[in-house]
Amino acid sequence: MSAQDDEQHRGRGERILAVAQELLLGWGYKRVTIDDIARRARVGKGTIYLHWKSKEALFMELLRREVAAMLDAQIHEIRVEPRMVLPHRMFRSMFLLHTGRPLARAIFGEEADILGALAPDRSAPSLARVLGLVDHLTRMLQVFRDHGLIRVDRPLADQAHAIEAILSGSFLLSKLPSHAGPTLEQQADILAVTVRDAFERPDPPARVAIEAAALRLETMLDEMRTQLLGKPS
């Protein structure tokens, strides 16, 4: 394939993904067909199958790319301000990043009306687990522990479970109508205070510890982003 053909192939794929996301958010997974996507993207149905072997493969790549975009945003924040790796700041930012994007909100809230068959039933692992985010959370907490950013008087597995529960509950409550409770910013503040009080050490960490943790987390986030985007469709 020539460089021009490769560029056209990538451009076509990006257009198909953009259309797929628009239809997914507007109609929901169950209603969207490959024919719908092909017609809206102005390509042949067979062209889509040159990129992805199935409808599910196409949409799973869309979900992986959305998570990768979230990781990109976190990497940028850490590069601009290393203190963003402080757990209460990082999880606050994560909450606002996810709730501020409709597709990310659907992923982490596991909104079945949008995700359809992509959203696991109660007997299956959550999308966060399928996408590797729970394992990533555990690795992140280990970095926090290694650099003195969180307490170590409880097992790592217990901390990971507690953080996952706090985040899951926060994402769930964020879907309530705005008149029913605090704003998203206020919810993010509540989440940050909860994480700080429950997990962080009373003495503020030294700057050298923050910078070392920032470097490790930036590398970890970038590796996960690469892994997500590199998985076959």
Side-chain angles (χ1 to χ4, degrees):
M1 183 181 291
S2 68
Q4 182 177 1
D5 289 341
D6 188 50
E7 183 66 28
Q8 289 177 343
H9 182 81
R10 285 199 302 271
R12 221 171 21 239
E14 294 297 329
R15 187 166 74 252
I16 292 167
L17 285 167
V19 167
Q21 177 168 330
E22 178 185 350
L23 293 178
L24 177 66
L25 292 173
W27 297 359
Y29 180 81
K30 292 180 181 178
R31 290 187 56 198
V32 179
T33 68
I34 292 294
D35 286 325
D36 294 326
I37 298 170
R39 185 165 51 252
R40 186 73 65 92
R42 298 181 181 177
V43 299
K45 182 176 178 180
T47 299
I48 295 180
Y49 287 116
L50 290 176
H51 290 264
W52 299 277
K53 63 183 180 181
S54 66
K55 172 185 168 182
E56 181 181 359
L58 189 164
F59 281 101
M60 283 305 298
E61 177 165 349
L62 188 63
L63 301 189
R64 290 197 301 271
R65 285 185 173 222
E66 182 70 5
V67 174
M70 300 294 95
L71 297 175
D72 264 339
Q74 287 187 290
I75 290 169
H76 175 72
E77 289 183 341
I78 293 171
R79 286 175 178 169
V80 171
E81 174 50 77
R83 287 178 62 83
M84 286 302 296
V85 299
L86 292 173
H88 71 279
R89 290 191 176 197
M90 195 160 195
F91 290 120
R92 181 187 189 279
S93 170
M94 186 184 300
F95 174 81
L96 289 175
L97 282 171
H98 293 161
T99 55
R101 296 172 63 109
L103 184 53
R105 193 164 61 241
I107 294 170
F108 289 90
E110 297 198 341
E111 299 179 11
D113 55 334
I114 292 177
L115 299 177
L118 298 174
D121 58 33
R122 292 182 181 180
S123 64
S126 67
L127 268 177
R129 290 183 180 276
V130 170
L131 293 169
L133 299 179
V134 175
D135 290 339
H136 167 66
L137 172 63
T138 301
R139 295 195 300 272
M140 181 187 298
L141 292 176
Q142 184 62 62
V143 173
F144 292 155
R145 290 165 70 99
D146 290 346
H147 295 280
L149 304 190
I150 60 174
R151 295 160 47 185
V152 295
D153 55 337
R154 298 294 302 164
L156 174 61
D158 289 1
Q159 289 180 322
H161 177 81
I163 289 288
E164 184 184 0
I166 291 169
L167 289 174
S168 297
S170 297
F171 290 133
L172 179 63
L173 291 174
S174 72
K175 296 188 293 184
L176 294 176
S178 58
H179 62 77
T183 65
L184 288 178
E185 284 282 346
Q186 290 168 334
Q187 291 178 55
D189 290 339
I190 293 168
L191 171 62
V193 170
T194 301
V195 170
R196 186 194 64 199
D197 291 351
F199 298 96
E200 294 185 23
R201 300 171 66 166
D203 300 325
R207 182 172 181 81
V208 65
I210 292 173
E211 291 176 348
L215 183 60
R216 282 185 64 187
L217 282 172
E218 182 183 330
T219 300
M220 186 184 300
L221 292 168
D222 189 54
E223 288 174 349
M224 184 177 181
R225 174 189 172 279
T226 301
Q227 181 183 20
L228 281 166
L229 295 179
K231 288 187 177 181
S233 302

